[in-house]
Amino acid sequence: MSGLVTAPAQIWLAVAPVDMRRGIDGLSSIVQQALGYSPCAGSAFVFHNRQGNRMKLLVWDGNGVWLCQRRLHRGKFVWPAVSEHCVCISYAEWEWLIAGVNWQRLTAKSVPDWQV
């Protein structure tokens, strides 16, 4: 997270889509009730809409809560399709995600040079 928002300890993607009209209180209640986490624990929580072209980021910085939104004009964000409620991603995966690139390709296992 460059700029005004400090880098969180963890970045969690909420798998189920949410209504983008929700604000800080609505998304915080999803974090607490549906995901089982504290929204003020220092982690970032990322939500997406049903169409997959918008996302919202909720993060506590120690003094208050940031709510940021991003929209792609073309294409969709690549979101995990798993049975879990949320998935933790790395900072590198986050950068690919917000660029609209398939961040899951980063986690593909490569063969070490010594095994070739």
Side-chain angles (χ1 to χ4, degrees):
M1 315 271 153
S2 60
L4 297 175
V5 182
T6 60
Q10 295 176 318
I11 303 169
W12 292 95
L13 301 182
V15 175
V18 300
D19 183 347
M20 285 288 117
R21 294 174 291 184
R22 287 184 178 257
I24 291 172
D25 296 332
L27 294 174
S28 293
S29 70
I30 291 174
V31 170
Q32 289 177 317
Q33 296 171 5
L35 305 180
Y37 293 98
S38 170
C40 300
S43 296
F45 297 92
V46 187
F47 303 90
H48 69 104
N49 65 344
R50 192 166 305 279
Q51 293 80 18
N53 64 343
R54 294 175 190 242
M55 71 166 58
K56 283 191 175 182
L57 168 75
L58 183 74
V59 63
W60 172 261
D61 70 358
N63 291 321
V65 180
W66 285 93
L67 180 60
C68 307
Q69 181 173 329
R70 182 159 177 89
R71 177 181 64 182
L72 292 178
H73 291 285
R74 287 186 296 177
K76 297 180 178 183
F77 293 109
V78 176
W79 222 257
V82 296
S83 60
E84 300 171 19
H85 293 294
C86 59
V87 175
C88 188
I89 63 171
S90 69
Y91 187 77
E93 291 168 331
W94 164 253
E95 288 183 327
W96 278 40
L97 172 67
I98 62 173
V101 177
N102 188 351
W103 58 272
Q104 294 170 332
R105 297 173 82 189
L106 271 180
T107 60
K109 303 285 186 208
S110 61
V111 178
D113 292 337
W114 58 271
Q115 287 186 350
V116 176

